[in-house]
Amino acid sequence: ACLAQRGENGAAIVLLREALVGLRAAFGATHRKTLHAAANLACSLRDSGALERAAQSYLRQTQAYPGDAMAFTDLGNTWRELGRHQEALAAYDQALRIAPQLAEAHFSRSFVRLLMGDPNSGLVVIDVGEAGEYRDWHIEGSFSLPLRRLTAEGPGLPQDSSVVFVSRMGRRSSLAVHIMQDLGHKKSFNLRGG
């Protein structure tokens, strides 16, 4: 996990896979330590752009521990990044059945509905930091959409929705506003100070 935080996702994936095999053998597939390692592996896969593999890892995690609402939320986020919005909605719905108070699943579900063209989604807060940064800290209710994916997913946001972009220090969110305005989305705003 430390290697992934330093941006060395390839090495992190190899080590996390080895650790996961050992943890499964020692503790079983549903033990807390095994699930934590599986979540780190899936996050590293997602950060490295291996979204299909990340989705498969999250699917295995949700099957091994069907009561893990955050695993379903992470699965939904991965499906969303792959553009598989119906699967994302199903994953968020399952997360909300497990933990109805889970704000991230509520807001992530609204974000997918917004991407699908639902005009009743309202104001959206989007964190344009990387997935690891978002996992470490984010505004509750914000969505993770790394800046590198904005040009691909940004045009799908309805023009009549107001979008507030945030990032750790405000530089990337400011750039996100300019990108979205260049794409014709005039209701894009930067959260001052990050």
Side-chain angles (χ1 to χ4, degrees), residues 127-142:
D127 188 324
V128 292
E130 290 300 318
E133 293 174 292
Y134 182 81
R135 192 176 277 289
D136 289 342
W137 182 90
H138 61 273
I139 294 173
E140 188 169 334
S142 66

Side-chain angles (χ1 to χ4, degrees), residues 21-131:
V21 169
L23 288 168
R24 280 187 182 137
F27 298 107
T30 60
H31 190 273
R32 171 181 59 80
K33 290 180 182 180
T34 306
L35 292 172
H36 184 70
N40 282 331
L41 173 60
C43 186
S44 292
L45 287 167
R46 205 167 130 200
D47 286 349
S48 71
L51 297 175
E52 286 288 347
R53 289 173 40 207
Q56 294 307 313
S57 183
Y58 283 126
L59 274 173
R60 283 191 297 277
Q61 188 176 351
T62 59
Q63 291 164 352
Y65 190 67
D68 187 349
M70 279 309 298
F72 280 101
T73 302
D74 289 337
L75 175 61
N77 291 340
T78 305
W79 286 139
R80 185 202 77 225
E81 288 182 35
L82 285 165
R84 294 170 64 174
H85 298 142
Q86 292 299 329
E87 289 99 328
L89 288 176
Y92 296 138
D93 287 344
Q94 183 60 30
L96 292 170
R97 279 192 283 282
I98 296 164
Q101 76 287 356
L102 186 61
E104 184 176 342
H106 278 287
F107 289 108
S108 295
R109 188 179 195 293
S110 296
F111 183 49
V112 169
R113 288 179 54 216
L114 182 67
L115 290 172
M116 294 173 74
D118 184 344
N120 299 318
S121 297
L123 177 71
V124 177
V125 178
I126 299 177
D127 188 324
V128 292
E130 290 300 318

Side-chain angles (χ1 to χ4, degrees), residues 136-152:
D136 289 342
W137 182 90
H138 61 273
I139 294 173
E140 188 169 334
S142 66
F143 305 107
S144 175
L145 180 58
L147 185 62
R148 63 184 161 73
R149 303 233 352 116
L150 187 61
T151 55

